[in-house]
Amino acid sequence: MEKPNLDWGNLPFGYVKADYNVRCTYKDGKWGEIEVSDSEYVPLHIAASCLHYGQESFEGLKAFRGADGKVRIFRMEENAKRFIRSAEGIAMQPMPIELFEEMVRKVVKLNERFIPPYESGASLYIRPLEIGISPKIGVSPAEEYMVIMLVTPVGPYFKAGFKPSKVCLSRDYDRVAPKGTGSIKIGGNYAASLVAGQKAHDLGYAVMIYLDPKEKKYLDEAGAANFYGVKGNTYVTPASETILPSITNMSLRQLARDMGLEVEQRHIPYEELAEFNEVGNCGTAAVCSPIGQITDLDNGRVFEYGMEAAGPVTTSLYNKLRGIQYGTEPDTHGWCEIIEFD
Ligand code: PLP
Ligand code: COI
């Protein structure tokens, strides 16, 4: 198996063509066989519901080449469950968990040579997506759907890696509506976040933090990741209907409890930003990333947490989570599936 000629240690979080993707179509009331493709393109009807009315959802998970040479996929069943919730949230056909998992295993095995070596600190990002493919001009759900899973080797999401970043916050933008689609993972939410994200980047910040879209009182989502703060011995993260229930955050809450921290999932008033010792954002792409400074664009207020290095709790959580994913820490909660290669 010839390894691709990639600079494994310096991969960005971006797209690299791998060998294969896998696809499965829902037609005539049932899911078909898993198909393997080496094409980067999808033939679509010009009136497909995904193109006109945004029937599209996606997931993001990772496979890791461990220190022991084994390949681990992290919490795939949780992604499968969320993929179902996302499909149901925009009236698409949900894919059964077993089929989702079979597709993930298959796409990872088919692209084994693209799984970055352990020493690189990189991983194989797996991107499942579902689209409505029936032609629709009247606004109604498609009858036919396609799930595609592609993979790409990735490095860190934030350019600085595991170093504190500067982020901003503004009340001028909502990512989602109060009773809208914030808690599912659909493309439309990300389209709606692009202008705010671009503004943050143009001003030199890594991400835009949103306040809750109803009252603008509480912290909500941190770009394409969940927000958390650490106060004394407590890990605090928002309870909100408008954020995506992050699988990384769920794991960090468990690891925090394992480490003897208190865990609170509740509304976090904006003013509480002044009380945290550490803050960060977390997600599959972001892992857990320290935030060094938050600038409120609306009033110029700056909250400082330290730009030198990550705080001790963020560092411990990061090391523990990465250790489980790369097989250097015991997987006591059974979060990883080891992939057997023939
Ligand atoms: N919030 C948003 C808006 C996201 O896009 C993501 C990324 O998937 C997350 C949170 C983190 O979720 P997870 O940890 O499941 O990747
Ligand atoms: C992830 O963390 O998997 C994400 O989906 C974030 C972003 C790349 C969309």
Side-chain angles (χ1 to χ4, degrees):
M1 188 184 60
E2 199 187 322
K3 279 271 176 197
N5 187 18
L6 292 170
D7 185 2
W8 298 106
N10 290 302
L11 287 172
F13 187 86
Y15 177 76
V16 172
K17 185 187 183 307
D19 287 330
Y20 302 103
N21 57 82
V22 293
R23 306 166 184 212
C24 187
T25 304
Y26 182 86
K27 200 174 169 185
D28 299 329
K30 59 178 191 308
W31 291 99
E33 295 294 315
I34 300 173
E35 289 164 29
V36 176
S37 173
D38 60 4
S39 167
E40 291 170 282
Y41 296 89
V42 196
L44 277 179
H45 193 287
I46 55 173
S49 72
C50 62
L51 297 178
H52 296 253
Y53 303 126
Q55 270 199 308
E56 191 271 352
S57 71
F58 68 100
E59 269 303 326
L61 64 162
K62 282 176 174 171
F64 304 86
R65 168 86 60 190
D68 53 5
K70 293 182 179 162
V71 174
R72 290 170 175 78
I73 303 181
F74 188 69
R75 305 200 79 172
M76 142 168 83
E77 188 183 349
E78 294 300 327
N79 293 92
K81 290 197 261 183
R82 195 169 64 190
F83 202 49
I84 291 175
R85 283 203 307 104
S86 297
E88 289 172 346
I90 52 170
M92 297 200 297
Q93 182 65 34
M95 169 166 270
I97 292 176
E98 304 71 38
L99 181 54
F100 179 97
E101 292 185 340
E102 198 185 330
M103 287 184 80
V104 171
R105 288 185 197 105
K106 188 158 187 133
V107 76
V108 170
K109 285 186 189 181
L110 285 167
N111 294 288
E112 185 185 359
R113 67 193 194 101
F114 284 88
I115 305 172
Y118 170 67
E119 306 74 44
S120 66
S123 56
L124 188 74
Y125 188 67
I126 306 157
R127 170 55 64 84
L129 65 103
E130 177 166 354
I131 47 177
I133 56 174
S134 312
K136 286 288 162 192
I137 289 300
V139 182
S140 63
E143 291 81 33
E144 294 179 7
Y145 293 90
M146 185 186 281
V147 168
I148 304 170
M149 293 199 191
L150 60 95
V151 297
T152 179
V154 293
Y157 187 57
F158 294 109
K159 278 201 202 89
F162 189 64
K163 296 223 183 75
S165 61
K166 291 184 183 179
V167 308
C168 61
L169 173 157
S170 172
R171 293 154 197 79
D172 283 350
Y173 302 94
D174 288 324
R175 191 182 70 98
V176 292
K179 295 272 180 210
T181 53
S183 67
I184 57 175
K185 200 163 170 66
I186 60 167
N189 292 346
Y190 297 79
S193 75
L194 291 176
V195 170
Q198 220 167 23
K199 169 145 187 180
H201 284 155
D202 289 349
L203 294 172
Y205 300 105
V207 294
M208 175 74 75
I209 293 186
Y210 300 89
L211 294 182
D212 76 275
K214 196 169 174 192
E215 296 181 83
K216 298 280 182 201
K217 275 190 185 166
Y218 306 107
L219 294 168
D220 221 51
E221 202 71 295
N226 278 183
F227 175 88
Y228 69 87
V230 178
K231 192 155 62 165
N233 196 36
T234 308
Y235 176 98
V236 193
T237 193
S240 161
E241 281 183 350
T242 47
I243 65 173
L244 189 74
S246 155
I247 296 159
T248 312
N249 195 353
M250 186 183 1
S251 311
L252 294 175
R253 292 197 299 276
Q254 183 61 53
L255 296 178
R257 276 188 217 101
D258 294 350
M259 284 162 42
L261 296 174
E262 298 292 318
V263 171
E264 292 177 5
Q265 219 178 341
R266 57 166 169 81
H267 287 337
I268 305 179
Y270 165 83
E271 288 300 331
E272 202 172 341
L273 280 179
E275 297 172 21
F276 289 119
N277 311 114
E278 295 176 36
V279 298
N281 45 19
C282 61
T284 298
V287 192
C288 65
S289 297
I291 292 172
Q293 195 184 80
I294 303 177
T295 300
D296 185 332
L297 296 181
D298 305 334
N299 58 23
R301 195 166 167 189
V302 179
F303 299 89
E304 305 272 5
Y305 306 96
M307 289 300 296
E308 289 302 307
V313 172
T314 295
T315 305
S316 301
L317 288 171
Y318 178 87
N319 287 338
K320 191 83 188 171
L321 182 61
R322 300 262 300 177
I324 293 170
Q325 292 170 333
Y326 285 97
T328 55
E329 288 274 346
D331 182 16
T332 48
H333 299 287
W335 287 338
C336 296
E337 175 171 316
I338 295 177
I339 295 298
E340 303 293 342
F341 291 88
D342 308 324

